[in-house]
């Protein structure tokens, strides 16, 4: 990698470019990042240089290359957007600002910070498409050098890449980024499966290449005889796509035959169909495996003919046929568009139409204040495959996989969606939750005076339809929405044995999490009413806040009891100190001893005697003269808090079974928190009250007997 290579590439595809602009951007990047190093130990400036090189491979304009050099100077160095604007102009400053994360603002959680960074990036992308191209190149180089990061960061970055950036690259048709981002993410998220699959494929490489060469030669000979000019190449399928196919179809690698696809590239569309005829004459096509993306292009501009034929020895082989222009578009998608070539800034209608989904995306993202719902809806819009259906007039409408007639209705027009009362698919009446398939002809039945139902929010798949339904309810009547919101929340809280009066004190704390001012309580309830906030998510957060407060109340009650003992000079009946009376006794919070544990007393400074388990790390190395011999007394009906950690393979119903065991054991749960782990396991942390060590052992044994539970242990603070 070097600067000369970047200048040489620019001179080749953008003759007459502003070399001084690019050079000045590089010079500033060097100064700004001086003394900074990456995790690999290399100077930080190798990163913007690598990002710029990736972009020159895509033949991006000089302004984009300059912005690539500068893309981290605001985020990681002491350079402001205003300085960039003054030195390089508003266009480059806007590109740099678009890829700069919101690091200096305070957020209530890591998830909220991620959402706000995504919002900012998409807004910048809507203004200038080149923002996302720079971001892709930035993420690709970071993924290529991810081995130098700590394991936890590797998984976090790989997961975000797999869930957001790879599907976004797919949505934009930039497959050159998509495939590599997926394979790199796969490597860090599932390393064992990745390397095992790579070894198995390598072992079969020679056999596979022999098959492809035989088919290629036969097709080439047939096309040459017919006077057709074509380039035929074998394209190995990417590891992640093979692994996904094995998972979805529940097959082993030996049962996956089309590990390599053949690609035939010709000069024009007519030749594409002619080549298809020759191939079908040579090899028998597999029924139902032909797709014409030339006549019906994907929404990301992808065009090609796909067919699967039975090759030698009965092995299925996928063949793609396309023109050179289609091939270039399939590699770089919207990024290959002429809009940012040769200084043309006028734009064109086709390009804007291809980005129409982004405009719709911007509409609904303003409505979503719930962090989890934002991420989930984003994944639906980016991840899901598409179905292509027809209007009665023959127009093609693309919808997300799993879409229903209501999604179709709202795609046609908002008023049609709002007045929908029924639907016909292929001439037959179907319910509104009917899942549409590619090729369906859809007709919507409307009725004057009809209006949406709140249940529709559960049926529709597309974010566009969901947004339009919410907007209708939002306009339908503020007072009605406020009342409906209170009703929905009250109903949700009943699931946790709570009511609205129970949440008064923590209500202000809650609505701040959703970016509402405490004085906007009615706005919050109105958002619940028209569906702008997810009531299940709100109810769950309120319940978690309640558990946290109850645990704190128990702790404060314990402190009050200790103070009372100190004031009256009374000794705790649960513990007896050998050779001493009337000393203040308290149980340590680090190891939480219970009757039956071997214990020891530790004389604190001004807070009496702290009782610890003998194996507690907190008293390791303590002065012997400050340790006292203590034993358990004979007090009954006492409860002692204990922190437990349960590790299990995650599955449906696990938490309910755990709660049931504590209920049967009459052990009061003070706090509970569960989280999924990267390896498919779940970790549950609980604070529970028990009467003795025997009581705790009984509960632990019952928990260990649960299906998929791997470990139950007491938490030991260090």
């Amino acid at each position: 990698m070097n600067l000369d290579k970047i200048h040489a590439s620019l001179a080749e595809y953008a003759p007459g470019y502003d070399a001084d602009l690019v050079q000045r951007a590089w010079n500033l990047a060097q100064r700004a990042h001086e003394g900074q190093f990456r995790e690999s130990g290399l100077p930080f400036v190798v990163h913007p240089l690598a990002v710029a090189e990736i972009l020159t491979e895509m033949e991006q304009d000089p302004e984009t290359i300059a912005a690539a050099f500068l893309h981290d100077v605001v985020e990681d160095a002491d350079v402001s957007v205003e300085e960039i604007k003054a030195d390089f102009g508003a266009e480059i400053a806007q590109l740099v600002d678009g890829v700069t994360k919101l690091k200096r603002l305070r957020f209530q959680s890591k998830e909220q910070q991620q959402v706000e960074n995504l919002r900012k990036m998409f807004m910048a992308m809507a203004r200038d498409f080149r923002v996302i191209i720079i971001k892709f190149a930035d993420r690709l180089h970071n993924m290529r050098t991810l081995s130098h990061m700590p394991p936890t960061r590797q998984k976090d970055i790989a997961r975000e890449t797999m869930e957001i950036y790879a599907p976004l690259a797919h949505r934009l048709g930039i497959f050159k980024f998509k495939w590599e981002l997926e394979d790199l993410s796969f490597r860090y998220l599932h390393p064992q499966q990745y390397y095992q699959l790579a070894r198995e494929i390598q072992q079969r490489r020679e056999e596979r290449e022999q098959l492809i060469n035989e088919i290629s030669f036969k097709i080439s000979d047939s096309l040459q005889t017919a006077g057709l000019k074509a380039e035929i190449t074998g394209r190995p399928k990417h590891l992640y796509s093979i692994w996904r196919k094995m998972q979805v179809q529940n097959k082993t690698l030996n049962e996956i035959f089309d590990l390599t696809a053949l690609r035939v590239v010709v000069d024009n569309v007519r030749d594409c169909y002619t080549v298809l005829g020759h191939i079908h004459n040579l090899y028998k096509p597999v029924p139902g495996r032909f797709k014409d993306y030339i006549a019906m292009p994907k929404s990301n501009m992808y065009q090609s003919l796909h067919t699967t034929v039975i090759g030698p020895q009965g092995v299925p082989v996928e063949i793609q046929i396309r023109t050179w222009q289609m091939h270039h578009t399939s590699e770089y998608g919207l990024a290959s568009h002429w809009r940012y070539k040769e200084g043309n800034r006028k734009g064109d209608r086709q390009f804007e139409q291809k980005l129409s989904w982004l405009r719709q995306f911007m509409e609904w993202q303003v409505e979503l204040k719930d962090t989890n719902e934002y991420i989930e809806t984003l994944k639906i819009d980016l991840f899901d495959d598409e179905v292509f259906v027809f209007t009665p007039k023959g127009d093609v409408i693309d919808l997300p996989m799993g879409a229903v007639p209501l999604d179709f209705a709202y795609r046609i027009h908002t008023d049609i969606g709002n007045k929908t009362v029924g639907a016909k698919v292929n001439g037959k009446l179907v319910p509104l939750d009917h899942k549409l398939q590619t090729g369906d002809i859809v007709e919507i039945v409307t009725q004057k005076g009809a209006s949406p139902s709140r249940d529709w929010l559960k049926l529709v798949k597309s974010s566009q339809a969901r947004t339009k339904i919410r907007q209708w309810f939002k306009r339908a009547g503020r007072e009605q929405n406020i009342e409906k919101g209170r009703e929905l929340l009250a109903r949700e809280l009943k699931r946790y044995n709570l009511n609205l009066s129970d949440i008064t004190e923590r209500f202000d704390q809650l609505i701040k999490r959703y970016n509402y001012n405490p004085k906007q309580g009615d706005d919050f309830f109105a958002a619940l009413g028209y569906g702008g906030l997810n009531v299940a998510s709100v109810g769950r957060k309120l319940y978690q806040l309640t558990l946290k407060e109850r645990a704190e109340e128990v702790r404060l009650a314990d402190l009050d009891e200790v103070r009372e003992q100190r004031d009256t000079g009374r000794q705790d009946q649960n513990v007896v100190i050998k050779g001493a009376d009337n000393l203040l006794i308290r149980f340590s919070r680090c190891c939480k001893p219970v009757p039956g544990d071997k214990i020891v007393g530790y004389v604190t400074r001004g807070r009496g005697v702290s009782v610890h388990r003998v194996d507690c790390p907190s008293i390791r190395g303590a002065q012997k003269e400050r340790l006292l011999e203590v034993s358990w007394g004979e007090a009954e009906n006492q409860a002692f808090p204990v922190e437990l950690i349960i590790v299990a393979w995650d599955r449906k119903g696990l938490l309910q079974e755990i709660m049931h065991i504590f209920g049967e054991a009459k052990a009061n749960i003070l706090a509970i928190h569960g989280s999924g782990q990267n390896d498919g396991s779940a970790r549950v942390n609980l604070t529970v009250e028990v009467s003795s060590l025997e009581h705790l052992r009984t509960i632990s044994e019952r928990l260990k007997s649960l299906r998929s539970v791997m470990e139950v242990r007491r938490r030991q603070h260090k």
Side-chain angles (χ1 to χ4, degrees), residues 146-159 188-189 678:
L146 197 58
S147 60
H148 301 288
M149 298 292 285
T152 53
R153 287 287 292 146
Q154 287 176 351
K155 287 190 178 295
D156 287 344
I157 293 171
R159 185 176 298 103
Y188 289 100
L189 291 175
N678 297 331

Side-chain angles (χ1 to χ4, degrees), residues 407-444:
D407 292 292
F408 176 88
Y410 279 103
R411 177 65 63 85
I412 300 300
H413 197 279
T414 302
D415 284 343
I416 292 176
N418 288 338
K419 295 175 182 178
T420 296
V421 292
K424 292 181 180 179
V425 174
N426 302 325
K428 296 181 179 180
L429 282 171
V430 296
L432 294 181
D433 62 355
H434 175 83
K435 286 184 170 53
L436 301 176
Q437 305 293 327
T438 293
D440 284 345
I441 301 173
V442 186
E443 182 181 354
I444 299 299

Side-chain angles (χ1 to χ4, degrees), residues 228-327:
L228 286 169
K229 181 183 176 183
E231 180 179 292
I232 305 173
T233 56
R235 181 183 66 83
K237 290 208 171 179
H238 297 269
L239 291 178
Y240 179 71
S241 64
I242 295 171
W243 183 73
R244 280 289 300 156
K245 189 171 186 178
M246 290 166 61
Q247 299 299 305
V248 172
Q249 298 181 5
N250 194 26
K251 290 182 177 180
T252 64
L253 184 63
N254 291 330
E255 297 173 299
I256 304 292
F257 295 105
D258 52 341
L259 297 179
T260 303
L262 266 178
R263 180 180 294 142
V264 183
V265 185
V266 295
D267 291 331
N268 54 62
V269 173
R270 182 187 61 192
D271 287 351
C272 288
Y273 290 97
T274 305
V275 167
L276 178 69
H278 278 270
I279 291 172
H280 284 181
N281 280 334
L282 293 171
Y283 299 104
K284 186 177 181 180
V286 177
R289 293 296 301 274
F290 170 69
K291 295 176 182 177
D292 187 345
Y293 293 119
I294 294 179
M296 195 181 296
K298 291 188 175 183
S299 59
N300 57 19
M301 299 177 65
Y302 178 85
Q303 287 184 289
S304 191
L305 298 177
H306 287 199
T307 185
T308 300
V309 299
I310 303 298
Q313 302 166 9
V315 177
V317 177
E318 182 184 82
I319 302 176
Q320 301 170 356
I321 310 166
R322 62 180 65 149
T323 67
W324 286 106
Q325 179 60 45
M326 293 173 190
H327 178 59

Side-chain angles (χ1 to χ4, degrees), residues 571-578 585-588 591-602 609-616 619 627-634 640 693 714:
Q571 181 168 325
D572 195 307
Q573 295 178 344
N574 292 300
V575 173
V576 176
I577 301 177
K578 187 175 182 180
I585 295 172
R586 65 185 184 89
F587 293 102
S588 70
C591 59
K592 291 183 170 57
V594 299
D597 283 328
K598 292 181 179 180
I599 53 177
V600 64
Y602 177 77
V609 177
S610 176
V611 179
H612 295 258
R613 285 159 50 191
V614 293
D615 59 352
C616 179
I619 58 169
L627 298 177
L628 297 176
E629 186 177 337
V630 297
S631 60
W632 291 102
E634 298 180 356
F640 299 84
L693 184 61
R714 288 171 75 173

Side-chain angles (χ1 to χ4, degrees), residues 555-566:
R555 190 184 71 81
L556 293 175
D558 289 343
L559 288 176
D560 289 341
E561 185 178 344
V562 168
R563 292 191 189 98
E564 183 183 342
Q565 293 171 5
R566 179 188 59 197

Side-chain angles (χ1 to χ4, degrees), residues 629-662:
E629 186 177 337
V630 297
S631 60
W632 291 102
E634 298 180 356
E636 297 180 356
N637 300 323
Q638 295 292 312
F640 299 84
V642 175
E643 292 184 44
L644 286 180
I645 297 173
I646 303 170
V647 180
W649 292 114
D650 202 359
R651 61 179 174 83
K652 190 175 181 180
L654 174 64
L655 191 58
Q656 288 90 332
E657 292 180 23
I658 291 173
M659 300 290 280
H660 180 70
I661 286 177
F662 283 109

Side-chain angles (χ1 to χ4, degrees), residues 73 131 216 329 397 405 528 537 643 654:
V73 298
V131 166
S216 298
T329 300
I397 304 295
L528 285 172
S537 174
E643 292 184 44
L654 174 64

